[in-house]
């Protein structure tokens, strides 16, 4: 319990917040890396997922990718890319994108697939083009599932961003690995608590967004 | 490949400790999810806190949890028990919502029939409700098994040996082959366990094999006929 109090005291210490190595900058880095990684993954995976969901083509491949990705060990990917790209941000960033892709892809195609078939047929019968059917009917109806996919991708990347410090990038993991090296348990625990808090806050924000995106009858 | 052949002994050791760390959480999360899932359905007021709680715990990143947990359960940082408890929590977080869903979707008529035949509650649960929810439970255990095998590797950062040690060691010494070996073995182990679970499911639930698989075309025909 004393460790916990020490950790909270470490977080509350005003000298630990400002500066290039302060909590403020590391927190910002952690969040910025995560947002950037997920954004790039979205740019690649959302159009691909919509296409798979709408046409039903390559569905088996998409299911396989999004299911099999769970088996891929994050730490292995981070260290592998760390060696390939050297110390810095490129390796971890590629790892974030690779890890975020399957969840976003799954959210995009399952969202489009979940659209009520009668609504889709109705839209087609009323003369909508395929593009209109996709963008005006299937995508809005599948939005909660898509946001759900982005949510799990984002959480996975926040978790992985902690490991990014292992290969020399910044983020809150920096404090964690510094504490691990110097046996500074308070610092290590403080960094852990900060990452957990950040993950929970982001998860709750996404849960709210997901609820707001549902059609009214599901709320 | 040459790296693996030259270090076969060490790799086998890591593989063994990896399994020792991964198997208990998979079994424990299943054994805990069944009664908790039953409670979530039986008492409506328990449902929301249990399922929301499960969702939130899954949001906690693994490495921080491995570090925070010793404080809560009073173990040493490098104690393998931390990994087992943490991964059981994650497994439960994945398994509980699925278990509650699977149990809830059992046809109530089947349960009424069992009741009418004089099955007492526990027997009804174990011999009717649980087997009928079986396929959903199996799907859950498969997800838990694969993600647990993958998450065990993170413990290597704290010095708890597993296939993840191939990542930390390979990174420190700059041996690419060692990291690649670790990734491949972890994925293969996860898929192997997944395959075993599928087989186990077929043995324990022979009726799932006999269910006729209807294609989309057959569904369409049935719909038109109706």
């Amino acid at each position: 319990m004393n460790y916990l109090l020490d950790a909270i005291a470490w977080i509350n210490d005003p000298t630990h917040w400002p500066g290039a190595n302060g909590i403020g900058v590391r927190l910002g880095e952690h969040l910025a890396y995560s947002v950037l990684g997920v954004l790039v993954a979205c740019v690649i995976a959302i159009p691909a997922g919509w296409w798979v969901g709408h046409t039903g083509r390559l569905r088996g491949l998409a299911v396989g990718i999004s299911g099999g990705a769970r088996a891929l060990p994050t730490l292995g990917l981070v260290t592998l890319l760390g060696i390939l790209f050297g110390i810095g941000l490129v390796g971890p960033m590629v790892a974030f994108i690779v890890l975020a892709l399957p969840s976003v892809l799954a959210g995009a195609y399952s969202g489009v697939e979940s659209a009520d078939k009668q609504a889709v047929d109705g839209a087609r019968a009323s003369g909508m083009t395929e593009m209109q059917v996709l963008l005006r009917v299937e995508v809005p109806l599948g939005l909660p599932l898509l946001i759900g996919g982005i949510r799990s991708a984002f959480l996975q990347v926040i978790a992985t961003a902690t490991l990014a410090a292992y290969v020399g990038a910044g983020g809150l993991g920096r404090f964690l690995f510094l504490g691990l090296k110097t046996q500074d348990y308070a610092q290590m625990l403080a960094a852990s608590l900060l990452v957990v808090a950040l993950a929970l806050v982001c998860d709750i924000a996404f849960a709210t967004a997901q609820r707001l995106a549902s059609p009214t009858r599901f709320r | 490949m040459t790296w693996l052949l030259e270090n076969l002994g060490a790799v086998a050791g890591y593989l063994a400790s990896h399994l020792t760390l991964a198997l208990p959480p998979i079994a424990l999360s299943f054994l805990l999810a069944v009664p908790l899932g039953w409670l979530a359905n039986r008492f409506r007021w328990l449902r929301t806190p249990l399922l929301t709680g499960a969702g939130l715990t899954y949001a906690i990143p693994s490495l921080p949890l491995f570090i925070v947990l010793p404080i809560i359960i009073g173990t040493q940082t490098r104690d393998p028990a931390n990994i087992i408890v943490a991964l059981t929590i994650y497994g439960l977080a994945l398994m509980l919502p699925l278990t509650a869903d699977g149990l809830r979707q059992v046809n109530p008529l089947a349960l009424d029939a069992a009741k009418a035949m004089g099955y007492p509650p526990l027997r009804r649960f174990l011999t009717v409700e649980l087997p009928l929810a079986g396929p959903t439970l199996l799907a859950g255990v498969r997800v838990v098994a694969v993600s647990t095998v993958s998450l065990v590797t993170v413990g290597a950062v704290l010095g708890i040996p597993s296939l993840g040690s191939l990542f930390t060691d390979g990174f420190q010494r700059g041996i690419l082959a060692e990291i690649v070996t670790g990734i491949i073995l972890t994925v293969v182990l996860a898929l192997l366990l997944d395959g075993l679970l599928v087989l186990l499911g077929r043995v324990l639930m022979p009726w799932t094999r006999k269910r006729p698989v209807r294609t989309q075309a057959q569904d369409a025909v049935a719909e038109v006929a109706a």
Side-chain angles (χ1 to χ4, degrees):
Chain A
M1 231 39 198
N2 280 333
Y3 283 124
L4 204 58
L5 293 177
D6 288 349
I8 290 168
W10 192 92
I11 296 174
N12 279 331
D13 187 339
T15 61
H16 287 147
W17 281 83
N21 283 313
I23 298 174
V25 169
R26 295 297 178 208
L27 195 68
E29 275 176 349
H30 204 103
L31 206 56
Y33 294 172
S34 310
V35 171
L36 188 62
V38 173
L39 270 184
V40 175
C42 282
V43 169
I44 302 167
I46 292 180
W50 283 351
W51 182 80
V52 169
H54 184 76
T55 61
R57 277 181 214 160
L58 298 184
R59 193 174 177 281
L61 183 69
V63 173
I65 288 177
S66 40
R70 262 180 210 285
L72 203 61
T74 313
L75 181 64
L77 201 60
V78 169
T79 49
L80 178 68
L81 294 167
I83 283 199
L84 287 178
F85 291 102
I87 298 290
L89 193 56
V90 181
M93 200 44 94
V94 175
F96 299 163
I97 296 165
V98 170
L99 288 167
L101 275 174
S103 298
V104 179
L105 185 71
Y109 79 71
S110 59
V112 165
E113 275 178 358
S114 75
D116 187 343
K117 287 293 159 277
Q118 289 197 337
V120 175
D121 287 346
R124 221 166 251 146
S126 62
M128 281 191 183
T129 62
E130 286 306 303
M131 195 50 108
Q132 284 172 327
V133 170
L134 175 66
L135 293 180
R136 293 199 193 163
V137 181
E138 291 173 328
V139 166
L141 285 175
L143 208 54
L145 280 176
L146 175 61
I147 296 178
I150 298 175
R151 173 184 178 180
S152 52
F154 195 71
L155 285 174
Q156 208 177 346
V157 172
I158 283 193
T160 314
T162 318
L163 290 175
Y166 187 73
V167 294
L172 289 170
R174 186 60 78 84
F175 299 125
L176 205 152
F177 285 102
L178 210 63
L180 198 61
K181 255 187 207 146
T182 56
Q183 296 289 315
D184 182 349
Y185 205 79
Q187 185 180 5
M188 204 160 100
L189 192 58
S192 302
L193 293 177
L194 285 169
V195 179
V196 170
L198 182 66
L200 289 182
V201 168
C202 292
D203 190 45
I204 291 167
F206 266 105
T208 314
Q210 216 171 345
R211 207 166 52 88
L212 291 179
S214 321
T216 31
R217 67 202 153 100
F218 292 130
R219 267 186 214 171
Chain B
M1 206 64 197
T2 33
W3 185 91
L4 176 61
L5 291 176
E6 281 161 15
N7 297 276
L8 216 51
V11 173
Y14 288 141
L15 191 67
S17 45
H18 199 102
L19 272 176
T20 322
L21 290 170
L23 293 179
I26 300 171
L28 283 174
S29 51
F30 174 76
L31 291 176
L32 289 172
V34 169
L36 284 176
W38 181 83
L39 282 176
N41 286 330
R42 179 71 184 72
F43 302 102
R44 289 205 65 150
W45 56 271
L46 264 176
R47 192 176 176 83
T48 313
L50 276 178
L51 298 191
T52 319
L56 277 182
T57 39
Y58 198 66
I60 299 172
S62 54
L63 183 57
L65 184 60
F66 291 165
I67 291 170
V68 175
L69 209 59
I71 298 280
I72 300 169
I73 59 175
T75 44
Q76 295 295 312
T77 320
R78 295 202 170 162
D79 194 334
N82 299 328
I83 308 286
I84 292 178
V85 174
L87 294 182
T88 305
I89 293 174
Y90 282 131
L92 192 58
L94 281 172
M95 195 67 207
L96 183 55
L98 276 170
T99 310
D101 255 11
L103 290 174
R104 200 171 48 153
Q105 279 163 6
V106 170
N107 187 348
L109 289 177
L111 294 179
D112 283 348
K115 206 176 193 173
M117 287 168 71
Y119 278 37
L122 185 63
R123 186 168 165 212
R124 198 164 70 224
F125 179 74
L126 291 177
T127 61
V128 181
E129 203 171 354
L130 203 56
L132 283 177
T136 314
L137 299 186
L138 177 66
V141 179
R142 289 178 59 190
V143 173
V144 171
V146 170
S147 77
T148 302
V149 166
S150 163
L151 278 172
V152 165
T153 57
V154 177
V157 171
L158 297 174
I160 298 166
S162 71
L163 289 174
S165 310
L166 299 175
F167 305 149
T168 50
D169 189 65
F171 181 69
Q172 272 154 19
R173 299 200 289 162
I175 306 174
L176 202 62
E178 186 173 4
I179 299 179
V180 174
T181 306
I183 294 180
I184 294 175
L185 282 182
T186 310
V187 172
V188 167
L189 186 63
L191 297 181
L192 216 61
L193 269 185
D194 188 48
L196 277 178
L197 284 169
V198 172
L199 281 181
L200 192 69
R202 283 196 190 154
V203 173
L204 291 177
M205 299 181 287
W207 66 91
T208 50
R209 258 178 309 179
K210 288 178 196 145
R211 189 183 293 159
V213 182
R214 274 167 49 148
T215 63
Q216 233 169 354
Q218 282 172 316
D219 277 336
V221 170
E223 213 168 281
V224 171

